[in-house]
């Protein structure tokens, strides 16, 4: 509710007012309809306390159950379900109030049933029309807007890349936020609910996920994007050299200790670790690409060249110290050349071993990359 109000402001309040107007109109209609068909002694005046109660209950349900959450961008099916949920909870609450105060007998049950039925239809219709109007007013101005999701270490680069591609970053959602309020002049989300409210109310069109493996997208965000039909774009760098955290002791006999934590130092959970040992100089391995697997390569002992090919150009990275890590995203052809015998290659991988996830034929790799490019 706090997040919705913070980002929705007048838009959110306008929906709340529309709902309240629907409650009043539904009651007036229900009383008029019932009195014109049934021959009973009941008047609008007698029904007014119920209207006040229903208005109070409506506000309580909206706040307590957050039933207006991302209402502006809900799909039809979800809207029907949420409106129905709102009306049913309101009805149950009102029934409980009338029962506990023993005042139920003073009011017409038929009119209350009828009023809630009409409230449901009116709310659904009015919300639909109001949504159409608001979207017409605001949507065009947001054609290139996005919520950027990344980690703190990639944030600056992610912002620069988004801006270069003409994306207007509305807000940043940092997976490892330390409570920053803004970065590079762009507001930082408070948490996942705040990020979802940016999509729902500030009308960010897409989610750009920079340099993170698909497994890092929180379920709640993926679900909300599906619900609001928001596209998630995984915007990757292809590779990156990172400094592996290393602790050295003043006494050189203690050696040095390097460490990496999954999802913290590298943008994926570690599912598999493997290493290649007992090697001779000039050994060539690799000659494959991955469809899904993200990896961190490092060489704790010796010297190994990694040749990377994205289908257009080749680059060589030399792994020659334990504190140097090479982060590889999927879609890169790689070859490893051992420059010294006995060199050790260690790999942290985001996926379990699956031979079908490998591309081992170079022409197949080029074809796969161009298909992937078309999809994006
Ligand atoms: P391969 O991927 O061909 O090594 P490289 O590309 O470095 O030359 O792997 C060699 C063999 O090891 C192959 O038969 C598959 C097997 N293997 C596993 O069973 N699990 C693993 O995690 C890896 C990496 C390989």
């Amino acid at each position: 509710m706090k997040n919705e109000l913070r980002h929705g402001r007048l838009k959110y309040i306008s929906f709340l007012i529309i709902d309240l107007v629907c409650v009043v109109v539904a009651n007036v209609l229900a009383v008029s309809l019932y009195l014109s068909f049934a021959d009973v002694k009941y008047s609008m005046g007698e029904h007014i306390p119920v209207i006040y109660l229903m208005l109070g209950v409506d506000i309580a349900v909206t706040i307590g159950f957050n039933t207006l959450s991302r209402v502006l961008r809900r799909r039809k099916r979800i809207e029907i379900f949420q409106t129905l949920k709102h009306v049913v909870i309101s009805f149950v609450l009102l029934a409980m109030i009338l029962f506990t105060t023993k005042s139920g007998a003073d009011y017409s049950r038929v009119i209350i049933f009828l009023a809630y039925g009409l409230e449901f239809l009116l709310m659904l219709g009015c919300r639909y029309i109001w949504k159409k109007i608001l979207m017409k007013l605001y949507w065009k101005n947001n054609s290139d807007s996005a919520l950027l999701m990344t980690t703190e270490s990639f944030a600056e680069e992610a912002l620069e890349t988004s801006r270069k591609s003409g994306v207007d970053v509305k807000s940043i959602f940092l997976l490892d936020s330390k409570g920053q309020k803004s970065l590079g002049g762009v507001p930082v989300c408070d948490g996942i609910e705040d990020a979802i409210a940016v999509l729902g109310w500030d009308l960010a069109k897409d989610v750009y996920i920079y340099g993170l493996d698909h497994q890092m997208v929180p379920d709640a965000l993926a679900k909300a994007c599906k619900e609001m039909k928001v596209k998630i774009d995984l915007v990757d760098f292809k590779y990156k050299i990172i400094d592996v955290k290393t602790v050295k002791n003043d006494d050189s006999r203690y050696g040095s200790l390097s460490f990496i934590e999954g999802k913290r130092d590298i943008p994926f959970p570690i599912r598999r670790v493997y290493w290649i040992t007992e090697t001779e100089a000039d050994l060539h391995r690799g000659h494959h690409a991955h469809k899904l697997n993200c990896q961190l390569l490092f060489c704790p002992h010796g010297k190994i060249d990694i040749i990377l090919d994205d289908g257009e150009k080749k680059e060589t990275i030399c792994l020659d110290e334990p504190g140097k890590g090479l982060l590889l995203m999927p879609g890169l052809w790689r070859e490893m050349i051992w420059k010294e015998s006995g060199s050790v290659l260690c790999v942290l991988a985001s996926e379990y071993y699956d031979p079908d996830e490998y591309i081992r034929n170079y022409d197949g790799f080029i074809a796969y990359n161009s298909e992937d490019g078309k999809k994006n």
Side-chain angles (χ1 to χ4, degrees), residues 101-197:
T101 56
K102 296 194 171 64
S103 55
D106 301 342
Y107 310 108
S108 161
R109 266 178 245 169
V110 181
I111 291 178
I112 293 174
F113 275 125
L114 205 57
Y116 273 114
L118 289 168
E119 182 189 319
F120 170 67
L121 295 176
L122 280 171
M123 264 188 189
L124 211 55
C126 292
R127 282 178 180 183
Y128 179 78
I129 294 166
W130 190 232
K131 261 190 233 182
K132 288 264 168 212
I133 295 171
L134 286 181
M135 289 303 256
K136 241 200 163 72
L137 286 176
Y138 291 104
W139 198 232
K140 264 199 199 133
N141 307 336
N142 289 276
S143 54
D144 289 317
S145 62
L147 167 77
L148 177 65
M149 178 181 146
T150 186
T151 55
E152 202 188 347
S153 51
F154 298 144
E156 251 174 55
E157 189 182 308
L159 259 177
E160 209 181 300
T161 310
S162 317
R163 281 172 177 160
K164 267 191 204 149
S165 346
V167 174
D168 165 27
V169 179
K170 289 254 167 204
S171 211
I172 306 179
F173 174 43
L174 290 178
L175 269 188
D176 52 353
S177 172
K178 293 177 185 78
Q180 300 96 313
K181 291 276 173 260
S182 78
L183 264 175
V186 180
V188 174
C189 297
D190 251 359
I192 184 82
E193 285 308 322
D194 197 39
I196 293 170

Side-chain angles (χ1 to χ4, degrees), residues 265-301:
D265 302 317
I266 47 175
F268 57 83
I270 300 166
R271 289 241 159 77
R272 185 163 51 107
V273 180
Y274 59 92
W275 49 94
I276 300 171
T277 52
E278 297 170 44
T279 52
E280 295 289 331
D282 208 32
L283 163 69
H284 288 231
R285 292 192 71 135
H287 309 105
H288 62 243
H290 290 282
K291 294 179 192 165
L292 268 183
N293 207 7
C294 296
Q295 296 178 319
L296 182 84
L297 275 54
F298 60 98
C299 172
H301 175 75

